[in-house]
Amino acid sequence: MPLLPKSTCDCSLSSSAVEQSDFFNGVGHLTDSPIPAYAIDTDHVITQWNRACAILTGMPASTMLGTRNQWQPFYDRQRPVLADLVVDGGLCGPIQHYYPGKVICSLQMPGTFVGEDFFPRMIHGGKWIQFSAGPMYDRSGKVVGAIAMLQDMSAQKHAEEALQKGRADLEQLVIERTAELMRRNVELTLANEQLTSLQQQLVQAEKLSSIGLLAAGVAHEINNPIGYIFSNFGTLGQYLSQLMEMLDAFEKAEPLISQAVVRHDLGALRERIELDYLKADIPVLMRESLEGIVRVRQIVQDLKDFSRVDNAMQWQLVDLHPGIHSTLNIVNNEVRYKADVILVFGVLPDVECLPSQINQVVMNLIINAVQAMGAVRGTITIRTGCTSQTAWIEVADDGCGISAENTARIFDPFYTTKPIGTGTGLGLSMSYGIVSKHHGRIDVDSTVGVGTTFRITLPLRQPL
Ligand SMILES: Nc1ncnc2c1ncn2[C@@H]1O[C@H](COP(=O)(O)OP(=O)(O)OP(=O)(O)O)[C@@H](O)[C@H]1O
Ligand SMILES: [Mg+2]
């Protein structure tokens, strides 16, 4: 920081201004003055060196008076000081040369110059000195010398420096505190985002757990009747085959019936009820019904799995690819008229999971992909891959796509855009629940009119 404001030195002072500058004329008071001061004559010889000046400079009057050593307390080699320059006429050029940017003309006292500088050579490790010098006149107004006044500014400067340092320290502190606050703010924002996402997950989990409860209730109610239907059906099958045996025996005995009328009636009855067809159809109906019952039992089991009431579910280390193949087999009927399936399988390590549930997720995704197809036959691409920590399965279709606003809702239970009877809107919310239970994630990327890709990412190992 400049010590004094830079000012152009106006050295073209009028003679009347010089005449007015009689401040320094009281030379007689110099000795007693508390202000450090000295005077020189036109030969640059020191004529006065007061006590205050001796104390400030550490140079007694006895060593200074009568010499031209006024530079000595301030500089390490001889040079003109401000008083010398004033005696020489106070010209702008020399003043600028010896005190570049450090001295200005006094506004209060024309002809007088004021400056401030640090003098490292001075006693006590150097001093900040404010100095001024002006001409001395005799009664006729002739310049007879110059007088210089000094003021020790060191204490004030040190105080200023301390203040400046204090301010800088404070600024630094403010910067540090602000940075700390901003860091905390970032942390808080992050924590808040995590909380919001956790809350969303909780809401999702809440929705799913109510579905789970419903499913558990339904599964429980259906489980018993389906149990006795299944066991009765077995018995019924047995009875029927025994009846068939009996019927065969009767049929064999039929020609032996002697009464023609009875024989004729039996024959007519056999034709009316199409006994041969009946005999052929009954086992088919039985088999199909059994399949139906088995499927219902499986659905009930799935419902129980979904609702997690069945604790017997075993986490297993499995290759996901066979599961995808068997799932494709199961849904083959749905897929084959609507789309071609392309498999792009990567090399997968075994994944710790509940395989039947992962299959169910894949099945939901494949069926959704099929249902997204329009009149034109489409393509479903199933890809797999892995990273060091995760394995992923992608089901991509070139179907109708999902709009951005609907994407936010597709995992909601009962959200469906399909006609009544086609979709319940549970497929994706169940899938979401299953994948969450596996500590994995399910992502969707979709463009309306282009297609949709679902990706399930699963950790290779479940956290302990
Ligand atoms: N591959 C896809 N392409 C286009 N839309 C999809 C796709 N997958 C899901 N959707 C949209 O998300 C909705 C919800 O899907 P979700 O599987 O949960 O229910 P759903 O298929 O309608 O019924 P459900 O699966 O219970 O039979 C669907 O109705 C559909 O609008
Ligand atoms: Mg679905």
Side-chain angles (χ1 to χ4, degrees), residues 195-256:
L195 214 67
T196 312
S197 123
L198 211 65
Q199 193 192 13
Q200 278 168 358
Q201 282 176 26
L202 272 176
V203 169
Q204 191 68 18
E206 184 69 20
K207 286 175 188 168
L208 285 170
S209 80
S210 53
I211 301 291
L213 280 178
L214 184 76
V218 172
H220 180 76
E221 288 304 312
I222 295 177
N223 208 29
N224 273 347
I226 233 25
Y228 61 71
I229 289 174
F230 187 71
S231 103
N232 288 357
F233 202 80
T235 318
L236 199 64
Q238 251 176 10
Y239 291 171
L240 263 175
S241 59
Q242 285 167 355
L243 278 175
M244 289 294 183
E245 250 178 79
M246 193 71 201
L247 203 61
D248 285 346
F250 276 135
E251 275 185 293
K252 276 190 193 128
E254 204 181 303
L256 305 175

Side-chain angles (χ1 to χ4, degrees), residues 3 37 58 79 85 134 153-154 189 226 276 292 294 398 410 428 439:
L3 299 167
R79 54 157 274 177
L85 300 174
M153 304 299 288
S154 303
T189 313
I226 233 25
D276 287 343
V294 168
D398 51 3
I410 55 174
L428 283 180
H439 302 98

Side-chain angles (χ1 to χ4, degrees), residues 368 372 397 401-402 410 415-418 423-428 452 454:
N368 279 350
D397 65 62
I402 311 168
I410 55 174
Y415 173 76
T416 180
T417 54
K418 293 166 191 172
T424 56
L426 283 180
L428 283 180
T452 307
F454 280 92

